[in-house]
Amino acid sequence: MTDLTWLETAPLADLMARAAAARDAAFGRNVSYSRKVFIPLTKLCRDVCHYCTFAQRPKRGHAAYLTADEVLAIAKAGEAAGCTEALFTLGDKPELRYRAAGDELASLGHQTTISYLRAMCALVLKETSLLPHVNPGVMSAEEIAGLREVSASQGIMLESTSERLCQPGGVHYGSPDKVPAVRLETLRLAGELAVPFTTGILIGIGESRAERVDALVAIRDLHARYGHIQEVIVQNFRAKPDTKLANADEPDLADLLWTIAAARLILPADVHVQAPPNLSPGVYQQLIGAGIDDWGGVSPVTPDHVNPEAPWPHLEALGLRTAEMDKILVPRLPVYPAWAADTGRWLHPKVATRVMQMADAEGWARDDEWAPGLTFAPRPGVVMLSKVDPELERIVERASGGERLREAEIVRLFGARDVDYERVITVADELRKAVSGDTVRYVVNRNINYTNICYYRCKFCAFSKGKTHEALRGTPYDLEMSEIVRRSQEAWDRGATEVCLQGGIHPDYTGETYIAICKAIKAAIPGMHIHAFSPLEVTQGAATLGLSLTDFLARLKDAGLGTLPGTAAEILDNEIRAIICPDKINTQQWVDVARAAHALGLRTTSTIMYGHLEKPLNWARHLLVLRDLQAETGGFTEFVPLPFVHMEAPMYLRGMARKGPTLREAILMHAVARLALHPLITNIQTSWVKMGPEGAAMCLNAGANDMGGTLMNESISRAAGTQHGQEFPPEAMEQLIGSLVRNPLQRDTLYRPVGNERRVVSFSAAELAPIVQTPPRKVMAE
């Protein structure tokens, strides 16, 4: 073992500086906390720790355990207050000491406290949105495994590895569950069973500094073996009345700071170090200076039942004190991001679903109620810091100069919060203004989805239907050519310059189908621009005719195709595509279609669908694929971020996806794209149908310069659950743009201003005629 005796003689200031540097290297500017509600399931305990006021004896006329109704009432109060964690606190196996405990458990239908705890966790999981975290004391492997099915994380305070404290006169004398070997065995079993685990040490109870180091080393070694220790709490003893240590000296601040710093330097870099803020009021900044990166649980609803004399700080005050140390207060779940990133290993499937739905892309807790497609008004976050991270500033400067960023640099931009976030969107908007001025463009167009029948089974798609699946959120259809032409003519009559055509991959379609669609529209409306066929449709069409991509695209161009939508991209990273669309074209095939189109003079858009199960690293890879291809071909007209709309998406309903991006992530996608793609892709578009008008406006102040199309008949996002309508007409477009003191400009697909005739027609459009969804038939066109 490495000699750690130097820790005891090192100057405290030097030790704290080293610990703070180690913390910063591991976790950057973030200091986390969990918004939780405390549920004291029972205050009976078979142990008699000499400092504890939580444990009580049975009292005649008083229940030994909270009832299910009482548990649920506390949990729902926490849920209403925005909590994400239900922390179950309880004594250790009271039924082994008190007959009253055993009798009451029997009346509740349980033999053990942990059996009842498991039932209450299951109840909270079922009836609320909270994630249970349990601290039930010493457990067997069977008990840990049972609780793993109904909790996101578990914990036991090691407190100390000192055997002396268990001898007569020691604080743990008479407490069988405080024997170090017994508690270490619980920690070991949790590691074997892959349970995200919390532990910690209690200082000032008679142990020496050397014994604290021994305890931290024991924790370190267990984590090195199993990787399951999420956090280590450094808790300072508080003397309490009516205990044997009521008059004992409490550890002073220097002792606490030394222990925090020692813990940070002894423990592996991925283990979080926590100090409870309510036990050290007034010195929060010094705790951060010693190396903590987490405040633990803070409850807006319930007191700290273990230390009821120590009230929780208000979150605003905690955020301000954290900001004074140039740190950002970040909400977390009971399972930390590193463990949430591998739910298959660390969490039971039912719990994993809840964690994914409550997490953002980095694995922290979602920090607002907004989601794409909802009409919930987006609210910007509060800025508490004044100084931008120098490393982020360097990345922003490189991007502004047009340099190609590295993956890790783009990931850092996506992680921006507080003042760093403000800096990213400010610079992105400055770039927008330098490139595009104060003009915001939009196109009057119509979406025509010619079929919703598709033989692919993409896990994110709520639009496509199988031929025989008429009950799946709508009836399958396959439009007659006459209906496609009718809708195109109606769009032209309402001022449109573009029809955007995409659909499912119908098993009866061939490349001739797509060629025939172009010919029919052009024959009827020669002036209409046809923006059609994703790289998936192009790949399928070429394959059915035995043509190369280039030859098929050339035939489409001759038939009247003007440009291609860069959809079917989702995430251009095969690691993610293998999960969400394994039978679809891969990243290289998507790039091949775009490259071939660009070589023929067919320009394309580029897109990303984000906010489901991918991470910022996947976003970075996607952006670099687009940037590199644009550097080669120059064929992309714009980049369109498409936030995942979760409500009806199959993979969300199956528990495989998040609730779309958070508002911060959605705004950052536009801003970071402006930076990462500069100066190669000059137009960044925001999707009103997914972001909503208010969200789109926020994006226009964060680097976006284009509002996309009026659409007339949006159906794909609506199938997924968006509530933002089918059409955003020119009057509404220009009103929104004007409210931002920007200049609206109606454009065509290739970003040229439209003529006055088209503009006038678009502002006097008649109501849309009812659409006709032609039922499926054998073959659509030759």
Side-chain angles (χ1 to χ4, degrees), residues 452-732:
N452 63 353
I453 296 171
C454 186
Y455 60 77
Y456 284 89
R457 292 294 179 265
C458 300
K459 294 183 175 65
F460 54 83
C461 184
F463 170 75
S464 68
K465 312 290 185 285
K467 268 186 160 184
T468 60
H469 294 174
E470 302 215 3
L472 293 181
R473 296 182 298 279
T475 304
Y477 64 83
D478 179 8
L479 296 187
E480 295 277 4
M481 187 68 76
S482 60
E483 176 63 12
I484 294 175
V485 173
R486 186 200 69 77
R487 292 190 198 182
S488 299
Q489 182 64 60
E490 185 180 32
W492 181 262
D493 294 342
R494 299 179 86 246
T497 56
E498 169 197 304
V499 283
C500 178
L501 298 112
Q502 297 178 92
I505 305 300
H506 194 297
D508 295 335
Y509 282 19
T510 72
E512 294 296 345
T513 307
Y514 305 122
I515 292 169
I517 290 172
C518 293
K519 287 181 176 178
I521 294 172
K522 276 297 185 182
I525 316 110
M528 182 68 83
H529 182 97
I530 300 176
H531 180 65
F533 315 131
S534 71
L536 176 61
E537 291 160 291
V538 171
T539 300
Q540 183 253 1
T544 62
L545 300 181
L547 296 175
S548 68
L549 293 174
T550 297
D551 288 344
F552 179 56
L553 285 165
R555 288 193 61 185
L556 287 171
K557 184 178 181 182
D558 289 344
L561 179 66
T563 53
L564 285 78
T567 48
E570 287 79 56
I571 299 293
L572 293 175
D573 185 344
N574 290 337
E575 173 187 319
I576 302 301
R577 300 184 76 79
I579 301 171
I580 66 173
C581 51
D583 55 348
K584 208 169 186 177
I585 56 173
N586 61 31
T587 298
Q588 188 57 55
Q589 289 170 315
W590 189 95
V591 167
D592 288 345
V593 173
R595 179 183 285 117
H598 297 171
L600 289 170
L602 288 168
R603 301 196 71 185
T604 73
T605 66
S606 59
T607 66
I608 186 172
M609 186 194 71
Y610 63 103
H612 36 92
L613 55 80
E614 80 303 343
K615 304 293 182 186
L617 176 60
N618 308 114
W619 300 341
R621 291 170 178 169
H622 183 108
L623 290 176
L624 290 174
V625 167
L626 298 181
R627 180 187 174 93
D628 291 345
L629 185 58
Q630 183 75 340
E632 175 189 337
T633 69
F636 291 128
T637 53
E638 71 225 58
F639 174 67
V640 189
L642 301 171
F644 174 64
V645 177
H646 72 281
M647 287 75 83
E648 297 295 333
M651 67 180 181
Y652 177 79
L653 297 176
R654 295 171 189 164
M656 296 173 59
R658 302 191 298 278
K659 295 180 179 179
T662 65
L663 179 64
R664 180 187 65 87
E665 291 166 344
I667 305 300
L668 275 175
M669 181 59 73
H670 296 75
V672 174
R674 172 64 69 185
L675 293 166
L677 299 176
H678 179 71
L680 302 178
I681 298 180
T682 55
N683 297 304
I684 307 296
Q685 184 182 121
T686 184
S687 170
W688 63 264
V689 76
K690 298 177 188 292
M691 293 295 302
E694 292 173 292
M698 295 176 75
C699 294
L700 291 173
N701 283 323
N705 67 305
D706 190 81
M707 278 287 290
T710 58
L711 300 183
M712 298 190 195
N713 285 127
E714 199 293 318
S715 59
I716 294 176
S717 294
R718 284 189 300 117
T722 186
Q723 301 169 15
H724 292 303
Q726 300 184 58
E727 183 175 20
F728 204 48
E731 297 89 343

Side-chain angles (χ1 to χ4, degrees), residues 309-362:
E309 78 288 353
W312 299 113
H314 291 293
L315 285 176
E316 183 178 355
L318 188 62
L320 288 170
R321 300 294 83 76
T322 303
E324 288 171 5
M325 291 299 290
D326 202 31
K327 301 298 177 190
I328 300 169
L329 188 64
V330 179
R332 65 165 172 85
L333 303 173
V335 58
Y336 280 84
W339 288 263
D342 190 2
T343 55
R345 177 183 178 189
W346 294 109
L347 298 173
H348 186 275
K350 288 188 296 185
V351 179
T353 294
R354 176 71 56 85
V355 167
M356 179 166 280
Q357 292 174 349
M358 297 175 70
D360 67 13
E362 294 178 286

Side-chain angles (χ1 to χ4, degrees), residues 392-405 409-410 413 427 431 627 671-672 674-679:
L392 181 131
E393 188 66 61
R394 185 189 66 80
I395 296 169
V396 164
E397 288 177 2
R398 289 192 64 223
S400 298
E403 296 184 49
R404 184 186 188 275
L405 300 180
E409 292 174 316
I410 298 175
L413 294 179
V427 175
L431 273 183
R627 180 187 174 93
V672 174
R674 172 64 69 185
L675 293 166
L677 299 176
H678 179 71

